[in-house]
């Protein structure tokens, strides 16, 4: 029975790779990845309700969902869902229920994680960082996909866990985890497939590749033909968002009308029946996979803050009040245009600096794309990854920002005239939103 | 705004600087005392003759937290019970202090004015001084990633793209000024350098290398000023023929307002227009005998040639290559060695330039004397090309 439809999707993977693992850079966290994915899913539209699912919120106390809402300019309700690798699909189920009940017309479900395995652990190679966002609404065959109500098994199955004061995700008995988790997954899958007719594709967000294969076999499917997973081999298991990221990736692989089962693992399992709709895939997952900067293990340990540092680097001063008052608009790319001369201002000055008069200014949505007007690379600005490229960017449609180049180490050097896109990153750890600002990067694809 | 009348002029009657360099053996107070006492002695007066004083220190918080008020000039000199004001206007600090002294003298508030510029930066490693200030203070988000070098390097990138400026052109500024500085016993760096050395020195902010950049330096400079009508009582006065100061954009605007072309510093053009009008200069390259201009980074000297009207827009590299701005050329620029050799104790720099030009107009510059100099110019540009000061000094009153 049709439950919800996916209207838009976005994905964000860090460009840095340790082997096949996508690993967040020093300026990335759950919030920046979530914001990037969410912007892709919204594409300028809005949602009535926002969910953020993660096991690695920047805060133990404080709602990351409301922060994300602030960044996105989302004015509706917002909820944090956490505590489980299944947080992403749990949030999708909750959002679906709100939409089904008519409590919300649309919802944005964002899931992101930056989980750190213990250095040297057997399971280290399988973990990745990333985010996914799905904008959902009531069932609509013209949408990207339509999902039935999930079959849910909530159970304290063995598997990965992290104690409150431990920075590292530990693994329970792997055999027990495969038995318990695999059992729950198979049960959820079987229930989801009841009465569905033939379903040849399986989207399995198991914690390891072997469990995916076993699940397919147990369900009577040929793993090589059935499994749809563009993400795990290219980025690793991306945590709470993994099932939804696999789903977003599958939208790029499934033909219109094609059906698939989606299974999400962790503290039980849930099973979903997915039918690909008529809307054209956005290609967001392929694009997110496309950017790659290879790290060696020593660099990874340094960037992840695992290896001890040489000394204290200077940190910019931050002020929540100042950002809230004067710069909060810039986090949402809200500029202003002079009602008299039309000049676009990115800064909220009391006077139009073109008219030189305190003229009326009207809201002007700043573009997320622009062209490099001038550029330099700063070799002495304190950074985990010097040099810091600074680009003076004239935005398409007006307004100028001067921004660091994101992921510059893996990109070609910016040059005057290059087209760039804006991406939110964390400039420093001020403990509030004053640490987050835009960077720019070349446009891929 | 027109020609400055002789009875509305002031004169420099005493001038002195400390050594410039990494002066680990000298405190802020020592620097103040060295420069101020030197200038007073040069004028043949004592501290008790000073009617009012100005202390120029731009960045107390990047240095030793001294220079936040006039009291940091009063205490080292025992100069109490007179009005003293601390002036801070980025790199135009010293020139702005001289402007304040001029206004006070002409208003009749005082008869003898003391202007001291001082900056004590090198008690900290360079990374913790001006760079640290750019990283840690100011707006928490805007311009993060820039050091001072980067804010001028983007202008260099525009000149390269628009006017075909080359990396070698930039290096030639450094080569010229280091050659000059080798003859200045007070300079921080006193070694000539080659183009190859400039190009091979570590990159700071592309395309600017370490040798395109002024060092982190301690230093102080001071001048004694009186009204022109009183100058006859002093030996070898030098007259302030014109002075213009302009704030022409904001700290963030060049990088956040698309109307800025990042090719020119409007503040310099406006300040020069006023100074030239007051001094009756309409052809600066022909009329001015020497200039001390702001070369915190090599690109800035080149942009300044254009903004001061020494050449057309985009013509600065050709002017430099012609040799006109080297010692012995038509208009020698930075015969002191400039900021690139002397260093840039920010509050001191503008005053140091006035001292340098005064030396030449008095014919006392020794090895580096510009022969027959009668008219000289000083220039500073501060912040991201936002605030500029231009002073025209003459051997003669108007």
């Amino acid at each position: 029975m049709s439950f919800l439809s996916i209207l838009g999707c976005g994905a964000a993977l860090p460009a840095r790779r340790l082997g096949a693992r996508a690993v967040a850079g020093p300026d990335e966290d759950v919030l920046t990845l979530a914001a990037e994915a969410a912007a892709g899913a919204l594409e300028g539209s809005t949602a009535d309700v926002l969910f953020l699912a993660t096991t690695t919120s920047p805060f133990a106390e404080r709602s990351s969902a409301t922060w994300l809402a602030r960044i996105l300019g989302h004015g509706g309700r917002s909820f944090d869902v956490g505590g489980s690798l299944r947080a992403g699909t749990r949030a999708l189920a909750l959002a679906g229920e709100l939409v089904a009940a008519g409590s919300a017309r649309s919802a944005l479900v964002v899931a992101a994680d930056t989980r750190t395995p213990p250095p040297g652990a057997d399971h280290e190679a399988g973990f990745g960082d990333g985010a996914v966002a799905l904008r959902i609404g009531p069932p609509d065959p013209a949408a990207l996909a339509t999902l039935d109500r999930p079959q849910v098994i909530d159970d304290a199955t063995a598997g990965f866990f992290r104690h409150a004061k431990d920075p590292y995700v530990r693994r329970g008995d792997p055999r027990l985890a495969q038995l318990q988790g695999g059992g729950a997954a198979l049960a959820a899958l079987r229930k989801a497939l009841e009465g569905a007719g033939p379903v040849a594709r399986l989207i399995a967000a198991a914690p390891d590749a072997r469990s995916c294969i076993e699940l397919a076999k147990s369900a009577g499917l040929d793993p090589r033909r059935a499994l749809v997973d563009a993400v795990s081999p290219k980025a690793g298991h991306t945590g709470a968002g993994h099932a939804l990221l696999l789903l977003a990736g599958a939208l790029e692989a499934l033909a219109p009308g094609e059906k698939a089962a989606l299974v999400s693992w962790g503290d039980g399992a849930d099973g979903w029946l997915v039918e690909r709709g008529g809307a054209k895939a956005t290609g967001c997952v392929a694009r997110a996979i496309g950017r790659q900067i290879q790290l060696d293990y020593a660099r990874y340990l340094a960037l992840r803050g695992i290896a001890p540092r040489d000394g204290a680097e200077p940190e910019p001063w931050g002020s929540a009040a100042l950002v809230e008052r004067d710069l909060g608009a810039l986090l949402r790319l809200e500029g202003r245009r002079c009602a008299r001369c039309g000049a676009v201002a990115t800064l909220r000055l009391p006077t139009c600096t073109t008219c030189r008069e305190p003229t009326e200014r009207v809201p002007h949505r700043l573009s997320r794309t622009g062209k490099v007007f001038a550029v330099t690379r700063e070799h002495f600005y304190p950074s985990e990854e010097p040099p810091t490229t600074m680009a003076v960017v004239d935005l398409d449609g007006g307004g100028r920002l001067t921004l660091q180049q994101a992921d510059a180490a893996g990109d070609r050097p910016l040059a005057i005239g290059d087209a760039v896109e804006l991406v939110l990153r964390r400039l420093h750890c001020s403990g509030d939103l004053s640490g987050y600002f835009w960077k720019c990067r070349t446009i891929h694809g | 705004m027109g020609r400055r009348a002789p009875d509305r002029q002031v004169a420099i009657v005493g001038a002195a600087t400390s050594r410039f360099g990494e002066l680990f053996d000298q405190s802020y107070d020592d620097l103040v005392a060295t420069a101020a006492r030197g200038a007073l002695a040069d004028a043949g007066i004592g501290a008790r003759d000073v009617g009012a004083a100005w202390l120029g220190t731009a960045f107390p918080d990047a240095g030793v937290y001294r220079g936040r008020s006039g009291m940091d000039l009063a205490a080292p000199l025992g100069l109490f019970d007179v009005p003293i004001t601390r002036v801070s206007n980025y790199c135009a600090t010293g020139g702005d202090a001289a402007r304040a002294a001029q206004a006070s003298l002409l208003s009749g508030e005082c008869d003898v004015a003391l202007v001291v510029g001082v900056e004590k930066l090198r008690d900290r490693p360079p990374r913790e001084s001006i760079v640290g200030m750019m990283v840690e203070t100011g707006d928490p988000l805007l311009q993060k990633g820039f050091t001072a070098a980067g804010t001028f390097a983007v202008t260099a990138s525009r000149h390269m793209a628009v006017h075909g400026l080359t990396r070698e052109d930039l290096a030639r500024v450094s080569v010229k000024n280091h050659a000059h500085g080798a003859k200045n016993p007070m300079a921080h760096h006193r070694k000539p350098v080659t183009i190859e050395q400039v190009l091979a020195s570590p990159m700071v902010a592309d395309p600017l290398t370490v040798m395109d950049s002024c060092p982190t330096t301690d230093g102080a400079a001071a001048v004694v000023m009186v009204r022109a009508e009183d100058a006859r009582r002093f030996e070898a006065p030098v007259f302030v023929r014109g002075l213009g100061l302009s704030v022409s954009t904001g700290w963030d605007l060049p990088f956040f307002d698309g109307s800025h072309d990042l090719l020119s510093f409007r503040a310099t053009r406006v300040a020069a227009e006023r100074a030239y009008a007051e001094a009756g200069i309409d052809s600066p390259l022909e009329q001015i005998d020497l200039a001390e201009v702001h070369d915190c980074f090599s690109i800035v000297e080149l942009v300044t040639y254009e903004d001061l009207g020494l050449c057309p827009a985009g013509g600065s590299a050709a002017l430099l290559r012609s040799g006109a701005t080297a010692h012995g050329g038509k208009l020698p620029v930075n015969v002191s060695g400039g900021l690139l050799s002397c260093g840039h104790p920010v509050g001191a720099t503008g005053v140091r330039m006035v001292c340098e030009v005064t030396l030449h107009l008095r014919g006392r510059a020794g090895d580096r004397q510009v022969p027959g100099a009668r008219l000289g110019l000083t220039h500073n540009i501060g912040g991201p090309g936002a605030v500029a000061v231009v002073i025209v000094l003459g051997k003669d009153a108007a």
Side-chain angles (χ1 to χ4, degrees):
Chain A
M1 190 184 67
S2 295
F3 178 48
L4 62 84
S5 278
I6 297 171
L7 310 175
C9 69
L13 291 172
R16 287 166 190 76
R17 291 288 188 286
L18 180 65
R21 293 181 59 195
V23 292
D27 60 352
E28 293 173 296
D29 63 11
V30 158
L31 214 52
T32 65
L33 292 167
E36 186 181 341
L42 285 173
E43 281 185 307
S45 66
T46 60
D48 286 346
V49 59
L50 169 70
F51 284 84
L52 177 59
T54 180
T55 67
T56 50
S57 166
F59 293 106
E61 175 173 338
R62 181 168 233 173
S63 165
S64 287
T66 59
W67 268 27
L68 180 60
R70 178 66 60 86
I71 291 167
L72 298 174
H74 168 78
R77 289 166 289 171
S78 52
F79 297 95
D80 297 271
V81 180
S84 170
L85 275 186
R86 208 146 52 80
T89 49
R90 281 177 154 172
L92 181 65
L94 281 169
E97 294 296 351
L98 288 181
V99 171
S103 176
R105 288 162 300 177
S106 61
L108 183 68
V109 178
V110 189
D113 251 339
T114 57
R115 296 154 73 231
T116 306
D122 286 345
H123 59 281
E124 188 179 22
F127 276 37
D129 301 330
V132 59
L134 300 177
R135 191 167 65 86
I136 67 158
D140 175 1
L144 281 163
T146 297
L147 279 63
D148 283 4
R149 188 174 258 111
Q151 301 297 326
V152 178
I153 295 166
D154 289 322
D155 194 8
T157 50
F160 292 109
F161 64 93
R162 180 164 63 88
H163 284 295
K165 289 181 180 172
D166 189 347
Y168 302 120
V169 177
R170 312 284 173 175
R171 184 166 66 167
D173 185 315
R175 191 66 199 129
L176 182 63
Q178 277 168 4
L179 277 173
Q180 288 187 334
L186 182 61
L189 173 62
R190 287 203 167 126
K191 282 208 267 180
L193 291 176
E194 271 171 26
V199 175
R201 311 304 295 273
L202 176 60
I203 308 162
D208 59 278
R210 184 175 161 187
S211 294
C212 296
I213 291 167
E214 286 188 358
L215 180 66
K217 284 180 180 169
S218 304
L221 295 166
D222 174 0
R224 277 174 303 177
R225 288 165 185 251
L227 289 169
V228 192
D229 183 355
V231 178
S232 306
K234 302 285 186 183
H237 189 294
T238 55
H242 197 57
L244 301 185
L245 193 56
L246 261 52
L247 172 58
L251 298 179
E252 295 163 22
L254 299 177
E258 195 173 3
K259 286 182 178 174
L262 167 69
V263 179
S264 177
W265 249 262
D267 309 288
D270 46 47
W272 304 68
L273 185 66
V274 179
E275 183 173 347
R276 181 73 170 89
K280 192 170 177 294
T282 63
C284 63
V285 174
R287 268 200 311 281
I289 288 171
R291 295 170 188 281
Q292 298 198 9
I293 307 170
Q294 277 300 333
L295 300 176
D296 62 30
Y297 197 64
R299 285 296 298 153
Y300 161 75
L301 293 178
L303 293 181
R304 201 77 173 186
I306 297 170
R309 298 234 198 113
D310 185 24
E313 286 286 359
E315 271 274 308
W317 170 78
S319 164
L322 183 155
V323 167
E324 184 69 23
R325 185 181 60 242
D326 298 331
L327 295 169
L330 263 190
L331 278 181
R332 297 182 289 277
L333 293 173
E334 292 165 5
R336 296 194 294 176
R337 187 163 35 80
C338 175
R340 190 166 85 175
C341 77
V344 174
T346 48
L347 304 182
R348 298 175 87 75
L349 288 168
T351 303
C352 170
T353 49
T354 303
C355 288
R356 302 189 179 188
E357 296 285 343
T359 52
E360 184 197 347
R361 256 71 57 76
V362 298
H364 174 90
R365 177 99 194 143
L366 299 171
S367 168
R368 289 170 69 102
T369 57
K371 285 210 162 49
V372 174
F373 180 73
V375 67
T376 185
R377 290 190 298 167
E378 288 271 15
H379 297 257
F380 284 85
Y381 191 87
S383 164
E384 300 282 353
E385 297 176 299
T388 300
T389 300
M390 290 293 284
V392 180
V393 177
D394 284 338
L395 300 175
D396 301 330
R400 174 178 289 182
L401 291 172
T402 294
L403 305 168
Q404 294 183 23
Q405 182 184 7
D407 308 330
D411 213 338
R412 64 190 167 80
L414 286 179
I416 289 173
D418 280 353
V420 291
E421 62 184 359
L422 272 51
V423 58
L424 194 76
R425 291 294 166 96
R426 198 183 61 209
L427 290 196
H428 49 96
C429 301
S430 58
D432 53 57
L433 273 177
S434 72
Y436 293 85
F437 198 57
W438 298 97
K439 293 189 178 184
C440 65
R441 66 182 180 197
T442 56
I443 298 172
H444 278 222
Chain B
M1 193 169 81
R3 192 73 182 261
R4 182 170 282 269
D7 64 347
R8 300 290 294 163
Q9 278 189 2
V10 296
I12 313 293
V13 296
T17 73
S18 71
R19 285 188 296 125
F20 276 38
E22 296 177 312
L23 307 179
F24 296 119
D25 60 334
Q26 303 212 19
S27 68
Y28 184 96
D29 293 355
D30 293 336
L31 294 171
V32 166
T34 300
R37 285 186 188 142
L40 291 168
D42 184 42
I45 61 174
R48 285 186 179 76
D49 298 312
V50 171
W54 286 264
L55 173 64
T57 292
F59 302 130
D61 295 358
V64 290
Y65 303 105
R66 303 297 300 275
R68 286 172 164 171
S69 108
M71 68 182 86
D72 289 336
L73 177 57
L77 298 179
L79 179 61
F80 300 119
D81 307 325
V82 298
I84 307 178
T85 301
R86 180 260 176 133
V87 178
S88 174
N89 213 344
Y90 279 91
C91 302
T93 294
D96 205 0
R99 170 175 159 270
Q102 172 182 264
S104 173
L105 287 164
L106 294 177
S107 76
E109 185 201 32
C110 70
D111 297 323
V112 175
L114 174 66
V115 172
V116 181
V118 58
E119 210 83 38
K120 181 65 182 156
L121 296 171
R122 200 50 191 83
D123 278 15
R124 307 188 195 204
R127 274 190 178 217
E128 293 171 23
S129 184
I130 302 286
V131 172
M133 183 178 74
M134 294 285 287
V135 176
E136 294 181 328
T137 69
D139 191 282
L141 303 178
L142 305 179
Q143 295 195 46
K144 286 304 171 205
F146 265 151
T147 67
T151 63
F152 290 108
V154 290
T155 285
S157 81
R158 292 298 302 161
H159 270 264
M160 288 175 146
V162 175
H163 295 311
L165 181 76
T166 68
R167 214 357 299 191
E168 288 72 20
D169 291 329
L170 293 166
R172 282 186 191 97
V173 174
S174 182
V175 170
K176 170 180 75 71
N177 291 352
H178 280 99
H180 291 168
K183 292 186 173 176
N184 182 354
M186 304 300 257
H188 184 151
H189 290 318
R190 297 198 58 205
K191 277 189 185 161
V193 301
T194 63
I195 287 186
E196 292 69 30
Q197 284 175 309
V198 177
L199 297 181
S201 69
M203 196 60 81
V204 175
D206 296 64
L208 305 175
T209 68
V210 164
M211 287 191 189
D212 287 294
S213 313
C214 62
T216 303
T217 302
D218 304 321
V223 292
V224 176
M225 296 167 66
V226 300
R227 283 181 292 276
E229 68 206 46
D230 296 330
R232 281 183 300 275
R233 297 195 277 113
F234 295 85
E235 197 211 339
V238 160
F239 297 89
V240 178
R241 299 276 295 272
L243 192 158
L245 183 133
S246 178
V247 178
S248 295
T249 185
W251 175 249
D252 293 315
L253 283 173
F255 313 116
F256 292 88
D257 177 326
S259 68
H260 294 73
D261 65 9
L262 303 185
L263 288 169
S264 162
F265 303 125
R266 177 179 164 80
T268 296
R269 292 176 180 258
V270 176
E273 191 181 349
R274 179 173 190 117
Y276 288 171
E278 289 185 354
I281 289 172
D282 48 26
S283 179
L285 189 62
E286 309 298 326
Q287 292 171 269
I288 298 168
D289 299 313
L290 81 155
E292 287 284 308
V293 311
H294 209 76
D295 60 332
C296 50
F297 301 97
S298 53
I299 179 63
V300 179
E301 178 165 326
L302 292 171
V303 173
T304 301
Y305 291 173
E306 301 175 16
D307 289 336
L308 288 176
L310 309 184
C311 63
S316 54
L319 181 68
L320 175 71
R321 284 195 296 257
S322 78
T325 57
H327 204 293
K330 189 169 193 172
L331 170 46
V333 173
N334 288 331
V335 291
S336 66
L339 282 60
L340 290 172
S341 296
C342 293
H344 184 25
V346 183
T349 289
V351 185
R352 175 194 64 74
M353 290 176 165
V354 171
C355 293
E356 177 72 18
V357 171
T358 297
L359 266 186
H360 289 269
L361 298 182
R362 287 168 157 183
R364 296 175 187 170
D367 280 359
R368 66 183 191 278
Q369 176 70 40
V370 174
R374 301 195 74 82
L375 203 61
L377 175 146
T378 74
H379 159 267
N380 302 98
I381 181 84
V387 50
V389 61
V390 174
I391 303 176
V392 178
L393 298 164
K395 187 178 174 69
D396 313 300

